[in-house]
Amino acid sequence: MELFSRSVELVAIPRGTPRVEDFRIVQTPVPPLGPDQILVRNAFMSLDPSMRIRMRGEDSDYLAPYVVGGVLDGFSVGTVVQSTSARIPVDSLVRHHAGWRDIAVVDAEGDSWRQPQVIEPTGIRRAQEYLGPLGPSGLTAWAGLLKVAELRPDDVVFVSAAAGAVGSMVVQIASILGNRVIGSAGSADKVDYVRSIGADAAFSYRDGDILGQLRRCAPNGIDVYFDNVGGEQMAAALELINARGRIALCGMVAGYGDEVMGQLPGNLFSAIAKGITLRGFLARMYAECLPEFTDQVSGWLDDGSLTYRYSIAEGLDSAPQAFIDMLTGRTAGKALVALP
Ligand SMILES: NC(=O)c1ccc[n+]([C@@H]2O[C@H](COP(=O)([O-])OP(=O)(O)OC[C@H]3O[C@@H](n4cnc5c(N)ncnc54)[C@H](OP(=O)(O)O)[C@@H]3O)[C@@H](O)[C@H]2O)c1
C-alpha cells in the first residue's frame, strides 16, 4: 500500500507576524528508502523563533532560509519504522531535523548537528524532553549561561523571555547555582510562573517603563544579561549592567518580523565605557559539550530541582497557528506539536 506524508509548506514570505494563510498542508507519496536512510513516524515537532528568521527569505550567516513552495523543517522526535542504516535500527527513537511533517525520510548521516541522534528514554524520561530541557533549547540555555556568559558565583543575572523554552531554563539554572536572577515576560501569569521556578524578582515588559522596573528588581545592577529579545530590554540591560558585565546574545525575537532585523540599541556606547563583553552564539557551537550538559541537566530533572513546562498543540493542521501563538507569547515553556 502506498504511504503518504503530510507536511507544511511556506506559501508566502510573512510580513510582520505570520498568518495561517502563509502556510499550507500538502500530502505527498513517501518515496522508497535509498541507501543509509530511515523512515520516521514523528511524535513531536519543535516550534522555534528562529523559524521566523528563516521565513524572511534572506540569505544570512544564521540558518538557511526556507523557500516559498518548499516544506519547512526543524527538530522533531519520532520512531524509526523502516531503515537501511546500519547505525539506526527500526524501533529506535530519534531526534532529527525533518519536522513539520508526520512521516519523514531522513538521511542517517550528514551534518553532525542535524543528523538523526538515537535517544534513549528511561522509565521517567519522556520523548518530548529531547526537544526541551535535554534538546537544543536546553543546550542553548545551559551553554549561553555557563560557557558564553561564563556565570560566576556572585553574578546577578537578568534574562528576558523568561517564561519560554530557553528563558525558563536560564532562570532555573542560575537559581540552582545560587545566583540572584531576574526574569521578564509578557503577562502577569508568566511573571508568576517565572517567580515560581526560582526567579528572585520578575516583571512584565508589557507594563511599560522597562528600565524603571528592571532597576527596582536590581538595585545594585546586573552582571549578566541573557538576551532573548533585543530592543528595549537590551537597552535597559545595557543601562544597568555593571562594569565588566557580560551579555550573552542568544536571540532578538522582538525584531524577527521587522523590516530591518537586529537593530543596535541607541546606548551601545555604554558597553565601551563599562568594558562589557557582548558575545553572540549558536547552541550548535557548543555541541561538544553535549555529554556534560546532558549529565548535569538529567541530574537536575531526576532530583526534581529543574522542572519544565510545555505548550503542546495537537496535530499537524494546528502547527501554523501554534507557531504564531509561540511567536506572539500565547504559549509558555517549550512550544511543541504532537503528531498522532
Ligand atoms: N542562539 C541560539 O542557538 C538559539 C537557540 C534557541 C533559541 N534562540 C533564541 O532564544 C530566544 C527564545 O527562544 P525560545 O525557543 O525559548 O522561544 P520562547 O521564549 O519559548 O518563545 C518566544 C517568546 O518570545 C516572547 N516575545 C515575542 N515577541 C516579543 C517581544 N516583542 N518582546 C519581548 N518578548 C517577546 C514571547 O513571550 P512573552 O509572552 O514573554 O512576550 C514568546 O512566547 C529567541 O530569540 C530565539 O531565537 C537562540
Side-chain angles (χ1 to χ4, degrees):
M1 201 179 68
E2 195 167 23
L3 197 57
F4 288 87
S5 166
R6 297 180 76 239
S7 50
V8 181
E9 267 186 17
L10 185 65
V11 172
I13 300 289
R15 302 280 159 225
T17 303
R19 303 160 311 148
V20 284
E21 299 79 45
D22 295 327
F23 307 89
R24 82 169 159 230
I25 312 279
V26 293
Q27 180 164 305
T28 48
V30 175
L33 291 192
D36 228 2
Q37 287 193 319
I38 53 175
L39 185 70
V40 185
R41 198 172 284 282
N42 285 335
F44 293 98
M45 53 169 266
S46 176
L47 296 170
D48 299 288
S50 60
M51 292 165 174
R52 176 65 188 88
I53 304 176
R54 301 180 66 196
M55 288 169 197
R56 294 173 63 87
E58 296 163 358
D59 279 324
S60 76
D61 47 11
Y62 188 56
L63 291 164
Y66 291 132
V67 177
V68 171
V71 175
L72 306 178
D73 66 10
F75 281 107
S76 190
V77 161
T79 304
V80 176
V81 290
Q82 288 177 26
S83 173
T84 56
S85 157
R87 184 174 67 89
I88 309 177
V90 167
D91 288 339
S92 305
L93 190 65
V94 287
R95 181 177 61 222
H96 61 91
H97 208 261
W100 290 94
R101 69 202 84 186
D102 54 6
I103 294 176
V105 173
V106 188
D107 289 335
E109 309 303 327
D111 165 75
S112 63
W113 177 243
R114 292 181 173 203
Q115 77 177 10
Q117 307 289 332
V118 177
I119 53 183
E120 285 158 15
T122 61
I124 53 169
R125 190 93 45 251
R126 295 168 300 155
Q128 59 262 44
E129 291 185 345
Y130 294 89
L131 294 174
L134 294 174
S137 305
L139 178 63
T140 305
W142 182 91
L145 193 58
L146 304 184
K147 306 292 179 185
V148 180
E150 298 177 343
L151 185 71
R152 298 169 195 162
D154 294 325
D155 284 340
V156 174
V157 177
F158 169 46
V159 52
S160 48
V166 173
S168 64
M169 272 196 70
V170 173
V171 168
Q172 293 184 74
I173 295 171
S175 166
I176 290 167
L177 296 177
N179 291 83
R180 179 173 168 80
V181 53
I182 297 144
S184 67
S187 69
D189 281 355
K190 287 189 179 183
V191 165
D192 287 345
Y193 168 62
V194 170
R195 285 206 187 95
S196 77
I197 57 173
D200 299 280
F203 66 91
S204 168
Y205 67 89
R206 288 191 209 268
D207 289 345
D209 187 20
I210 290 171
L211 180 58
Q213 292 202 77
L214 182 57
R215 186 177 275 125
R216 282 190 288 281
C217 293
N220 299 317
I222 59 172
D223 305 294
V224 165
Y225 174 44
F226 193 108
D227 187 21
N228 284 318
V229 307
E232 229 183 308
Q233 300 204 53
M234 171 67 155
L238 268 171
E239 206 61 35
L240 295 184
I241 197 161
N242 295 323
R244 307 283 172 163
R246 284 139 283 133
I247 299 182
L249 296 172
C250 175
M252 297 188 172
V253 66
Y256 291 171
D258 291 354
E259 198 75 28
V260 180
M261 193 179 72
Q263 301 269 29
L264 294 177
N267 59 346
L268 187 59
F269 186 81
S270 63
I272 299 172
K274 293 196 269 192
I276 304 306
T277 303
L278 294 99
R279 193 189 286 180
F281 74 103
L282 293 174
R284 63 172 179 251
M285 293 167 180
Y286 293 87
E288 82 281 359
C289 299
L290 274 167
E292 186 189 351
F293 151 76
T294 307
D295 246 35
Q296 193 163 33
V297 173
S298 299
W300 289 331
L301 287 168
D302 291 349
D303 70 17
S305 44
L306 194 144
T307 60
Y308 206 68
R309 187 163 162 184
Y310 299 88
S311 295
I312 302 181
E314 292 294 326
L316 193 71
D317 297 273
S318 67
Q321 184 59 54
F323 176 68
I324 296 163
D325 288 347
M326 180 274 300
L327 279 180
T328 51
R330 282 183 287 231
T331 61
K334 177 72 201 168
L336 298 176
V337 180
L339 302 167

